[in-house]
């Protein structure tokens, strides 16, 4: 069964829960789907990149010993040992979108930034090293009090501005100006064109002249704006917004290794992967809190006890466990990245039982993994933050950010951002659902009485086709909360 919601995203339940693995033919290609934590662990952990690093370390250590002891035979043993490490661990899964329509679309739009790069791309390792450094600053949310508002719109602006400030020391003036900045406008135009194309067989894309033209025009606008930001930084007309180098400084520092075009691709990819995902997660959190007043009350009580009405500080964050559980429970029930793909680079036997051909696409079905009642219990579909007191039932049963070398680089950043924004919102506002509301044009309305195949929302909510990452949203009425 498959149910389409939001951005043409599929909640796929192709997998037989009793065996945790299944397959589907999509556009003539066989995809393997996983929902068993052990199999997910195998595919995400046994990455050929990690194995290669282990092999190199083994070879280097033993080769050094060999030089010291001057025994050539040891070198031979080292090489054999490295080969054995590769063969025995059998780890040859990696990230590749070969065969996936997004593969060619990303070349035309965001380039090969981290998210879309093949594992074998040498630029991935360079960029990954540079970009793994933690972000040092955070953006500040400016919120307004009013009637019924679409919080999702604010959250998208907030997430985009936060990334722009933290990564490039620039902003798009989303909150102050009445006119939208050309960057987010172009960004949305690219996403709209991508979603339009994805519905058409790839062979017919060349016939979609208008969509292609719109997409290329919007890509040109984005590239021009990013190039200008890079130029100003190189000319020292701008600097990082904090006392530490920002993402742009770090990437430009690597000048010889990351070409200017690659820096641009990385920035575009960062903005693309970083803002909609966080906004979708936060929007879903609001829906769950509005639907569950008891949980909202417990969370507000925790925030008032720990932070009060003052500024939230970094040291407050670990003292807010219930907030952490609410975010985790949200990402479990509505993971913004509902699935992601790996590839078996060699023919392999998954879990010692299931044959996967060379280049077989293997999809981690995050929705199914997160909602599996065998793993999570009979209330798997419901929002129960308290379940996190014990932690996840299996180390690989909760994978909203993936795991391994290709896992989310912005995970910590996004979690911190979500927590700060949630505290600031809940300190000031009580959010309530309007008695009646209608979904935006084009959005999919899920009524409280219906339920998604897996998640029980408990309240009417909508899913927007404009979003790449999945998240529920609804209009809310904001009421100023009296000071504690
Ligand atoms: C709730 C928020 C987020 C979620 C759920 C999320 C989820 C993910 C997932 C599942 C992946 C792995 C995709 C795959 O294996 O194909 C990923 C990769 C990535 N994410 Fe996130 N992400 C979030 C926020 C962010 C933010 C804020 C940033 C930027 C600051 C970011 C940047 C990236 C990048 C660059 C990659 C690619 C890493 C690589 O391949 O080396 N993400 N994200």
């Amino acid at each position: 069964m498959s149910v389409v919601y939001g951005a043409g995203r599929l909640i796929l339940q192709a997998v037989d829960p009793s065996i945790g693995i299944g397959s589907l033919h999509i556009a003539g290609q066989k995809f393997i789907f996983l929902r068993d934590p052990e199999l997910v662990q195998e595919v995400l952990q046994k990455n050929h990149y990690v194995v290669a690093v282990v092999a190199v370390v083994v070879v280097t250590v033993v080769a050094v010993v060999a030089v010291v002891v001057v025994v050539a035979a040891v070198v031979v043993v080292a090489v054999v040992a490295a080969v054995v490490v590769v063969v025995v661990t059998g780890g040859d899964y990696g990230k590749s979108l070969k065969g996936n329509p997004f593969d060619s679309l990303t070349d035309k739009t965001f380039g090969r930034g981290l998210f879309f790069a093949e594992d074998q791309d040498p630029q991935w390792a360079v960029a990954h090293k540079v970009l793994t450094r933690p972000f040092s600053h955070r953006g500040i949310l400016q919120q307004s009090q009013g009637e019924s508002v679409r919080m999702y719109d604010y959250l998208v602006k907030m997430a985009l501005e936060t990334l722009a400030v933290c990564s490039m020391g620039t902003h798009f003036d989303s909150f102050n100006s009445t006119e939208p900045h050309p960057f987010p406008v172009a960004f949305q135009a690219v996403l709209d064109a991508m979603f339009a194309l994805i519905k058409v067989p790839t062979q017919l894309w060349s016939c979609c002249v208008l969509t292609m033209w719109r997409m290329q025009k919007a890509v040109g606008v984005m590239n021009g704006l990013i190039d200008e930001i890079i130029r100003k930084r190189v000319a020292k007309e701008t600097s990082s917004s904090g006392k530490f180098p920002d993402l742009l400084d770090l990437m430009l520092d690597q000048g010889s290794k990351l070409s200017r075009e690659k820096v641009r691709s990385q920035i575009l990819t960062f903005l693309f992967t970083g803002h909609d995902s966080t906004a979708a997660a936060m929007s879903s959190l609001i829906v769950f809190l509005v639907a569950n007043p008891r949980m909202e009350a417990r969370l507000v009580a925790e925030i008032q006890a720990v932070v009060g009405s003052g500024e939230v500080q970094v040291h407050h964050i670990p003292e807010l466990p219930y907030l952490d559980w609410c975010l985790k429970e949200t990402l479990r029930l509505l993971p913004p990245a509902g699935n992601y793909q790996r590839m078996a680079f060699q023919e392999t036997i998954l879990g010692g039982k299931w044959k996967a051909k060379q280049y077989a696409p293997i999809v981690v079905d995050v929705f199914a993994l997160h909602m599996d009642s065998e793993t999570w219990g009979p209330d798997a579909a419901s929002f129960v933050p308290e379940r996190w007191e014990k932690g996840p039932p299996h180390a690989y049963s909760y994978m909203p950010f993936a795991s391994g070398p290709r896992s989310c680089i912005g995970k910590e950043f996004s979690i911190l951002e979500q927590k700060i924004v949630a505290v600031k919102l809940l300190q000031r506002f009580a959010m309530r659902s309007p008695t009646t509301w209608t979904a935006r044009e084009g959005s999919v309305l899920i009524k409280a009485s219906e339920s998604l195949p897996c998640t029980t929302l408990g309240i009417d909510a909508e899913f927007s086709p404009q979003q790449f990452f999945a998240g529920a949203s609804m209009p809310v009425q904001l009421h100023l909360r009296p000071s504690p």
Side-chain angles (χ1 to χ4, degrees), residues 44 95 97 114-117 124 128 131 135 163 266 269-271 273-275 277-279 281 331 335-337 339-342 399-402 405-411 413-414 417-418 469:
L44 295 183
K95 182 161 170 175
L97 291 175
L114 270 189
F115 195 83
F116 296 111
W124 175 78
H128 184 80
L131 302 180
F135 286 98
L163 269 182
Q266 296 298 356
T269 308
F270 242 69
L271 295 176
T273 52
H275 89 284
S277 53
T278 302
L331 289 177
N339 57 64
Y340 36 84
Q341 189 177 313
R342 294 291 180 271
M399 288 283 117
F401 297 100
R406 300 308 298 267
S407 65
C408 179
I409 214 167
K411 174 183 167 187
F413 180 77
S414 175
E417 182 182 357
Q418 289 179 53
F469 291 96

Side-chain angles (χ1 to χ4, degrees), residues 447-478:
K447 304 286 287 175
S449 50
E450 308 165 34
S451 82
L452 293 169
C454 324
T455 311
T456 308
L457 290 174
I459 199 163
D460 294 3
E462 64 183 358
F463 291 86
S464 160
Q466 314 302 118
Q467 287 172 238
F468 180 81
F469 291 96
S473 65
M474 63 188 301
V476 289
Q477 285 169 339
L478 297 176

Side-chain angles (χ1 to χ4, degrees), residues 4 35 77 81 112 134 149 168 181 190 196 242 277 291 295 298 310 322 335 340 386 458 465 468 471 477:
V4 181
R35 70 182 288 168
V77 171
R112 293 287 156 173
V149 286
M168 305 183 289
H181 189 280
V190 172
S277 53
M295 279 89 172
R298 180 167 172 190
Y322 198 69
Y340 36 84
E386 288 73 10
F468 180 81
Q477 285 169 339

Side-chain angles (χ1 to χ4, degrees), residues 181-201:
H181 189 280
F183 188 88
V185 173
F187 203 96
Q188 192 57 58
V190 172
L191 286 188
D192 290 347
M194 282 174 97
F195 292 140
L197 286 174
I198 217 91
K199 291 182 195 141
V200 178

